[in-house]
Amino acid sequence: MGSRASTLLREEEIEEIKKETGFSHSQITRLYSRFTSLDKGENGTLSREDFQRIPELAINPLGDRIINAFFPEGEDQVNFRGFMRTLAHFRPIEDNEKNKNPPTSEPLNSRTNKLLFAFRLYDLDRDDKISRDELLQVLRMMVGVNISDEQLGSIADRTIQEADTNGDNSISFSEFIKVLEKVDVEQKMSIRFLH
Amino acid sequence: MSLEEEIKEIRRSGSNKDLDAAPEFEMSDIFYFARRGVESIMDDEVTKRFSAEELESWNLLTRSNHNFHYISLRLTVLWGLGLLIRYGILLPLRVTLAFTGVGLLVFLTSIVGLFPNGRMKNFMSEKVHLMCYRICVRALTAIITYHDSENKPKNGGICVANHTSPIDVIILASDGCYAMVGQIHGGLMGVIQRSMVKACPHIWFERSEVKDRHLVAKRLSDHVEDKSKLPILIFPEGTCINNTSVMMFKKGSFEIRATVYPVAIKYDPRFGDAFWNSSKFGMVNYLLRMMSSWAIVCSVWYLPPMSREEGEDAVQFANRVKAAIARQGGLVDLLWDGGLKRGKVKDTFKEEQQKLYSKMLVGTQEDRSPVTNGPGIVRTAGL
């Protein structure tokens, strides 16, 4: 009868997550319900296999990179806090937030942090630079077998040429931000909740 | 919006360049895949179909209370009372009925089997089957409402229905006589199957024969051609789904030339959830849960018969029937394969996405350098 109680979310935890991520109370409980339904092992954490079981994610060409974004360096399990912290990047930026007291640290769903999420999808070895090789690998994931090595190589070269301003033949995070300065990041990297 | 439209929109917002002379690749393209990926992590259409539906208000069964927490003393007392009634009174009664029903089925069908083939035998077989299934229905306290009985399946036809649990069979078979299709099992199930087939022809396959699609198709065709034989009952989803949606229908039954009688079955989850989550519960556990619920309440709709039209292939026909069943039962019509409950999604779907995106990168140029590491050039005309 009470065996589920230990895995339930306590009010204090919900408050902490609310402060950290900005999600509302009902959004947090709904996502918790989602988290537990994905957690087949029922041990309070998700593994990479738990994510791969979602068909729509499995057919996403960058599915593995996105799954990887949830796991901190070297770890194979992610708990609910980590899950929410990553999802928070996709919270829409509300207008009234800009008027509130400015938070002590940058919110997880700021434009910069959304761009950082995308940057890290490209940056395979997490060295804060996108090398030509890394760009090629990610491109290869997105196009599969449909484009030749030569063509893909020239696409990568052109991209780096356009973005690289300090001549080190790789794209740093600030160069990345510059390239995308006109893109509507706030809208394109946000997911609206239905309630 | 399609992949192409969405990526174009992202590019448009970030660039003043003319889109027809658009660059082949933009770093912002990744936003599309990232967002779609995280959206599916937050919620997806498929994984939730393989676990029991969540109720809006609690029906006093612990099993349907996913977020259990103490609400009030009165509720707990009610729950305790319910527990007593369900396990102390209802369950023993139902188990007795179940044993009676199954026992009679085995015994009486064996007796009917001794008679020579003919009208007398068919008549008695019908009566015996109906009676025993009706006892089993009582054993589950299933309260069934049949709609549109004028469309009931006739001999020489194939009855298809959405699948939620093995109980579906009992529910349909207590209102009409069908020829069952399935794999021969060992144990008690096998005993029941072997005695049923003595009274009237059912189609049981050996495990080895199940893989042979031509053999299966042939036996089904032969059966429907014999108009004296009962309509075949088939569940084209191939697995149990949680009764909120209808998933992909396997095309095998729709390739045979026969009239299809679609049937929609919708359970009311408030009295007891009939969904069999076979990865979580075994058969015996499942039956016990069924027999200790309040009741199994469901509606059955007999839909008007459908036939394959000119120029329609089996898959299109299957989808048409599926849509009709989904509409009637108030279920979500999904294209996803129920096999995803256990297996991985096929790589071809990911390859399709990659193909679509590649088209955007290299456009519609005809003279491209040959692919050096793939199976061949992707011709946009063929996409």
Side-chain angles (χ1 to χ4, degrees), chain B residues 97 100-106 108-109 127-137 170 174:
Chain B
L97 274 174
T100 315
V102 173
L104 274 177
L105 182 67
V106 172
L108 290 174
T109 47
K127 292 292 167 231
V128 161
H129 273 100
L130 279 175
M131 181 184 83
C132 295
Y133 280 119
R134 284 184 184 151
I135 297 180
C136 290
V137 162
I170 302 179
S174 60

Side-chain angles (χ1 to χ4, degrees), chain B residues 301-354:
Chain B
W301 285 274
Y302 293 105
L303 297 169
M306 298 168 105
S307 301
R308 183 139 61 113
E309 285 167 7
E310 282 300 320
E312 198 180 32
D313 70 6
V315 175
Q316 290 163 328
F317 182 37
N319 284 335
R320 194 158 60 89
V321 174
K322 177 159 69 82
I325 293 181
R327 207 176 319 132
Q328 181 64 78
L331 306 163
V332 177
D333 188 359
L334 293 178
L335 287 174
W336 293 97
D337 185 350
L340 290 170
K341 193 200 239 180
R342 294 204 183 79
K344 287 202 177 308
V345 62
K346 289 209 266 280
D347 283 332
T348 45
F349 293 108
K350 188 195 277 201
E351 286 158 20
E352 260 172 55
Q353 295 266 308
Q354 289 168 327

Side-chain angles (χ1 to χ4, degrees), chain B residues 112-130:
Chain B
V112 171
L114 296 172
F115 282 76
N117 287 346
R119 285 224 351 236
M120 188 59 179
K121 184 176 185 183
N122 291 344
F123 177 73
M124 285 204 297
S125 163
E126 196 183 302
K127 292 292 167 231
V128 161
H129 273 100
L130 279 175

Side-chain angles (χ1 to χ4, degrees), chain B residues 49-319:
Chain B
R49 309 294 172 190
F50 301 134
S51 56
E53 188 183 356
E54 281 192 35
L55 294 171
E56 281 183 27
S57 51
W58 194 33
N59 62 351
L60 292 181
L61 298 175
T62 316
R63 62 188 72 133
S64 28
N65 192 344
H66 296 268
N67 300 309
F68 175 77
H69 51 272
Y70 185 78
I71 300 179
S72 75
L73 180 62
R74 205 174 70 174
L75 200 61
T76 313
V77 166
L78 268 176
W79 172 78
L81 208 61
L83 201 70
L84 264 167
I85 299 177
R86 286 186 294 119
Y87 282 90
I89 305 175
L90 296 178
L91 184 60
L93 266 172
R94 288 169 177 167
V95 170
T96 320
L97 274 174
F99 275 110
T100 315
V102 173
L104 274 177
L105 182 67
V106 172
F107 178 61
L108 290 174
T109 47
S110 303
I111 297 208
V112 171
L114 296 172
F115 282 76
N117 287 346
R119 285 224 351 236
M120 188 59 179
K121 184 176 185 183
N122 291 344
F123 177 73
M124 285 204 297
S125 163
E126 196 183 302
K127 292 292 167 231
V128 161
H129 273 100
L130 279 175
M131 181 184 83
C132 295
Y133 280 119
R134 284 184 184 151
I135 297 180
C136 290
V137 162
R138 296 281 170 275
L140 293 164
T141 317
I143 302 163
I144 313 167
T145 318
Y146 296 98
H147 302 264
D148 305 325
S149 294
E150 66 270 12
N151 292 324
K152 258 204 270 204
K154 302 187 176 41
N155 283 9
I158 300 182
C159 174
V160 307
N162 58 314
H163 202 23
T164 307
S165 117
I167 293 180
D168 294 339
V169 174
I170 302 179
I171 287 178
L172 290 179
S174 60
D175 190 46
C177 285
Y178 299 93
M180 310 286 171
V181 180
Q183 197 183 292
I184 270 257
H185 288 88
L188 178 61
M189 200 64 219
V191 171
I192 301 175
Q193 285 177 311
R194 268 177 271 267
S195 55
M196 278 171 69
V197 84
K198 284 182 198 151
C200 75
H202 296 283
I203 307 177
W204 304 127
F205 290 99
E206 298 292 333
R207 167 150 262 160
S208 50
E209 293 174 315
V210 173
K211 293 276 158 57
D212 187 345
R213 285 193 40 203
H214 289 293
L215 178 66
V216 171
K218 177 125 201 342
R219 278 187 71 180
L220 293 176
S221 305
D222 289 344
H223 186 108
V224 297
E225 267 163 38
D226 185 346
K227 295 299 176 211
S228 71
K229 292 204 176 138
L230 299 166
I232 303 178
L233 178 57
I234 289 188
F235 298 100
E237 280 164 311
T239 187
C240 295
I241 311 294
N242 76 347
N243 208 233
T244 59
S245 70
V246 186
M247 299 190 91
M248 186 180 98
F249 273 9
K250 308 230 177 309
K251 63 178 176 150
S253 348
F254 299 91
E255 284 171 332
I256 303 169
R257 296 226 153 276
T259 321
V260 168
Y261 295 87
V263 175
I265 308 176
K266 180 82 177 98
Y267 291 88
D268 186 338
R270 290 172 297 178
F271 294 93
D273 196 306
F275 170 59
W276 183 28
N277 191 342
S278 50
S279 41
K280 249 180 143 178
F281 308 111
M283 174 66 102
V284 177
N285 199 327
Y286 169 70
L287 285 173
L288 281 173
R289 286 162 70 92
M290 285 301 100
M291 291 197 245
S292 59
S293 305
W294 294 114
I296 307 290
V297 178
C298 66
S299 291
V300 175
W301 285 274
Y302 293 105
L303 297 169
M306 298 168 105
S307 301
R308 183 139 61 113
E309 285 167 7
E310 282 300 320
E312 198 180 32
D313 70 6
V315 175
Q316 290 163 328
F317 182 37
N319 284 335

Side-chain angles (χ1 to χ4, degrees), chain A residues 154-186:
Chain A
S154 64
I155 291 176
D157 288 329
R158 195 174 342 196
T159 311
I160 295 189
Q161 212 177 33
E162 283 177 4
D164 185 20
T165 50
N166 68 351
D168 63 352
N169 217 36
S170 62
I171 307 176
S172 70
F173 185 47
S174 44
E175 287 166 349
F176 187 71
I177 297 180
K178 189 91 189 31
V179 169
L180 297 172
E181 65 184 348
K182 293 210 191 72
V183 177
D184 185 5
V185 178
E186 288 87 339

